């Protein structure tokens, strides 16, 4: 029964499912456009230091690990290049001297020390400027696994090339360049050189890079954005493209960092036109220390829950999985109502790290049950599309229903099959053949705590739910509509 049903799914346009389900406007009235570089500009960007780019070549080629191959860039009319970006960055501290962040996100930061840096960016952009939609998605690369990776490129690559946006991955944190602790170790860690940093992995290409510590990561990120928006030298990473808007994007530890950036640095720079914050927890990443990487595990354990401040105009799209909300990351403690510049999408049947992200490496994790095979990639892609529309046209995205949590806020209210109720619903969740969950099975390595599970629904139960393949197809098509 299940084999017949799964074969039938192939005849349905799955890729359109979440985009259709998530794309309706949450309001019939259009907000005033918030693109800060347009004729409707409401906030001026202060002048500041900008990164200086130099083309990187040689060695083993671009090192940015991804278990799942993205689109064939040449076939879709994109080009890929890599640059050393250098300058002098500033660290920040809270003006009141506090170490804990205010729970309402209303940070006030002041500059402290300065340090020279030389990190790298990877650029993927349309070759033909006529195909460029004006949007540059700037991803804060993730280093939780001791590797410099770009998980949200994996989730959004199809939407980026479909829309004609450019993508830039920024090695903002120290571990990606210099190496350091591996917070989330997997069976792939040693194979991928986790904890070594790209300088040690390929000194011929990256030997001149140097990172002064995560205290400077926020300003490095800003300086890269300034360089992309207003290139001044002969080396132009975006070529002849003329950016109209910059979107900050990051997943997991990078989402924690973007929470800090939005609450503390964005009020000082106004450098980004929108933020896609994917899979954050309840707290925000610390401001860091010179010469050191951030200990993400210690940083988020017992930290104060931090919300997004409500006095900025740059819109924020949050995508939260089951793992994030009432799972191990406990974002439920920092949830806040949507407002004129905030949408929080809570996605049923999804996990912090899933089979789509892991590609063929999922089995190597050694989890006690198959990792989550949910539809998060469709939802994140839809979120990026709607965020871009929000910036360009002032049309806010739809509001997401909340995932239903239990009284202890450590698990979900579930249906008879064990599927979480509430949240954004997709056909994979509402017309299931598997129980998709963001909560892990007991046992397995640390990474499995973030990977959720996929549990097949017994054939006898499927036969009662869908007496025939035609019944299944009809239910699936209805859920898609």
């Amino acid at each position: 029964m299940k084999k017949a049903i799964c074969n039938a799914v192939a005849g349905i346009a799955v890729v359109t499912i979440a985009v259709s389900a998530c794309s309706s406007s949450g309001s019939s009235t259009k907000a005033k456009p918030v693109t800060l570089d347009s004729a409707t500009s409401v906030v001026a960007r202060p002048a500041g230091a900008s990164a200086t780019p130099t083309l990187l070549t040689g060695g083993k080629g671009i090192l940015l690990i991804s278990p799942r191959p993205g689109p064939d860039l040449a076939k879709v009319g994109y080009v890929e290049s890599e640059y050393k970006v250098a300058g002098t960055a500033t660290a920040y501290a809270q003006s009141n001297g506090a170490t804990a962040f205010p729970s309402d996100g209303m940070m006030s930061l002041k500059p402290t020390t300065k340090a020279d840096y030389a990190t790298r960016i990877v650029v993927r952009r349309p070759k033909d400027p006529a195909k460029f939609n004006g949007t540059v998605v700037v991803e804060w690369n993730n280093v939780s696994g001791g590797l410099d990776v770009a998980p949200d490129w994996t989730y959004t690559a199809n939407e980026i090339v479909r829309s004609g946006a450019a993508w830039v991955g920024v090695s903002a944190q120290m571990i990606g360049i210099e190496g350091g602790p591996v917070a989330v170790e997997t069976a792939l860690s040693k194979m991928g050189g986790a904890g070594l940093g790209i300088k040690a992995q390929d000194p011929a290409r990256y030997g001149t890079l140097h990172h002064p510590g995560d205290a400077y990561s926020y300003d490095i990120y800003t300086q890269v954005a300034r360089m992309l928006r207003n290139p001044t030298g002969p080396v132009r990473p975006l070529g002849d493209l003329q950016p109209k808007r910059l979107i900050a994007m990051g997943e997991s530890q990078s989402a924690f960092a973007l929470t800090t950036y939005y609450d503390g640095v964005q009020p000082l720079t106004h450098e980004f036109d929108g933020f896609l914050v994917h899979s954050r927890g309840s707290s925000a990443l610390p401001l860091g220390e010179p010469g050191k990487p951030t200990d993400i595990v210690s940083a988020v354990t017992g930290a104060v829950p931090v919300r997004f401040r409500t006095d900025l105009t740059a819109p924020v799209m949050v995508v939260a999985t089951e793992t994030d909300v009432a799972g191990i990351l406990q974002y439920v403690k920092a949830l806040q109502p949507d407002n004129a510049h905030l949408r929080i999408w809570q996605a049923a049947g999804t996990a912090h790290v899933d089979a789509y992200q892991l590609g063929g490496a999922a089995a190597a994790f050694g989890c006690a049950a198959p990792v989550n095979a949910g539809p998060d990639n469709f939802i994140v892609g839809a979120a990026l599309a709607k965020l871009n529309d929000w910036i360009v046209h002032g049309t806010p995205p739809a509001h997401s229903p909340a995932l239903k949590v239990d009284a202890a806020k450590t698990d979900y209210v579930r249906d008879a099959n064990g599927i979480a109720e509430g949240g954004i619903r997709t056909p994979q969740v509402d017309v299931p053949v598997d129980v998709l969950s963001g909560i892990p099975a007991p046992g397995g390595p640390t990474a499995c705590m973030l990977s959720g599970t996929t549990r097949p629904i017994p054939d006898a139960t499927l036969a009662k739910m869908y007496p025939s393949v035609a019944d299944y197809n009809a239910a699936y098509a209805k859920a898609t509509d």
Side-chain angles (χ1 to χ4, degrees):
M1 178 68 181
K2 181 174 180 179
K3 182 177 180 180
I5 288 173
C6 291
N7 288 340
V9 173
I12 299 176
V14 178
V15 173
T16 65
I17 291 166
V19 176
S20 299
C22 301
S23 63
S24 60
S25 171
S27 172
S28 60
T29 59
K30 290 189 176 182
K32 191 174 183 180
V34 294
T35 303
L36 302 180
D37 56 357
S38 70
T40 58
S41 178
V42 293
V43 179
R45 292 188 181 91
S50 180
T52 299
T54 306
L55 184 67
L56 278 173
T57 58
K60 303 172 186 176
I62 296 174
L63 179 56
L64 190 62
I65 294 172
S66 176
R68 173 178 289 275
D72 185 320
L73 296 178
K75 286 186 178 180
V76 296
Y78 272 59
V79 293
E80 181 182 53
S81 51
E82 185 177 33
Y83 298 84
K84 173 182 175 179
V85 286
T88 301
T90 299
Y92 294 102
Q94 293 197 77
S95 299
N96 62 5
T99 55
F101 293 139
S103 60
D104 62 3
M106 297 296 289
M107 297 182 195
S108 175
L109 302 185
K110 63 180 181 181
T112 56
T113 59
K114 293 181 179 291
D116 294 338
Y117 71 90
T119 186
R120 66 86 182 256
I121 61 172
V122 175
V123 179
R124 294 163 182 162
R125 61 176 178 85
K127 184 176 182 180
D128 182 357
K131 303 292 180 63
F132 179 48
N133 73 349
T135 297
V136 183
V137 180
V138 185
E139 180 165 357
W140 183 306
N141 288 353
N142 183 281
V143 297
S144 294
L147 300 164
D148 202 48
V149 299
D152 270 341
W153 163 259
T154 300
Y155 283 115
T156 64
N158 290 329
E159 171 57 26
I160 286 171
V161 301
R162 182 204 66 79
S163 66
W167 175 87
V168 177
V170 182
S171 297
Q173 290 182 259
M174 185 178 186
I175 288 176
I177 304 301
E178 309 288 352
V182 180
V184 182
E185 188 167 359
T186 72
L188 299 178
S189 295
K190 293 181 181 179
M191 295 169 55
L196 296 178
I198 60 174
K199 280 177 65 174
Q201 290 178 279
D202 190 353
R205 188 178 183 94
Y206 301 118
T208 62
L209 303 185
H210 60 91
H211 197 296
D214 282 359
Y216 304 96
S217 59
Y218 300 98
D219 196 38
I220 290 172
Y221 193 62
T222 299
Q223 290 192 25
V224 169
R226 287 197 185 109
M227 178 270 296
L228 295 170
R229 194 187 296 274
N230 296 300
T232 57
V235 178
R236 295 176 174 246
L238 293 176
D240 294 330
L241 304 186
Q242 300 296 320
K244 295 182 179 178
R245 63 202 70 88
L246 268 59
I247 292 176
M249 178 171 72
E251 198 257 354
S252 191
Q253 181 173 173
S254 304
F256 284 80
L258 289 186
T259 301
T260 305
Y261 190 99
Y262 187 84
D263 285 347
V265 183
Q266 178 72 4
L268 304 177
T269 66
H270 299 287
E271 196 54 50
F272 288 93
D273 302 291
F275 290 75
L276 177 53
V277 180
H278 178 204
S279 278
R280 61 162 287 193
S282 63
S283 57
L285 200 70
L287 292 171
E289 298 181 51
K292 296 181 179 181
T294 299
D295 179 354
I296 182 63
V297 176
S298 298
V300 304
T301 302
V304 174
V306 177
R307 299 187 293 276
F308 293 102
R309 63 190 303 152
T310 59
D311 61 339
L312 302 181
T313 57
V316 182
M317 281 290 304
V318 180
V319 177
T321 71
E322 287 185 25
T323 314
D324 311 323
V325 177
I328 188 172
L329 295 183
Q330 284 288 286
Y331 182 40
V332 67
K333 295 178 180 178
L335 285 175
Q336 63 193 103
D338 286 356
N339 59 49
H341 305 293
L342 175 68
R343 290 292 184 272
I344 299 176
W345 282 5
Q346 301 178 45
T350 59
H352 190 86
V353 178
D354 61 18
Y356 186 87
Q357 174 65 235
L358 297 173
F365 266 49
C367 299
V371 303
N372 180 280
D376 199 35
N377 57 303
F378 298 131
I379 296 171
V380 180
L384 178 59
K386 296 308 297 180
L387 174 59
N388 192 65
D389 288 346
W390 195 2
I391 297 168
V392 175
H393 303 297
T395 306
H399 297 281
S400 165
L403 287 164
K404 296 182 180 180
V405 300
D406 63 14
K409 295 185 178 181
T410 57
D411 201 356
Y412 297 95
V413 177
R414 301 180 182 277
D415 65 14
N417 289 316
I419 296 173
E421 296 184 354
I424 291 176
R425 316 293 294 180
T426 59
Q428 296 97 317
V429 170
D430 275 345
V431 189
V433 293
D434 297 302
V435 176
L436 300 170
S437 173
I439 307 302
T446 303
C448 299
M449 297 178 69
L450 300 172
S451 302
T453 57
T454 299
R455 178 172 60 81
I457 296 175
D459 282 351
T461 303
L462 288 176
K464 294 178 181 179
M465 294 168 62
Y466 317 114
S468 69
V469 170
D471 291 323
Y472 173 81
N473 280 342
Y476 203 95
K478 182 179 179 180
T480 303
D481 290 342

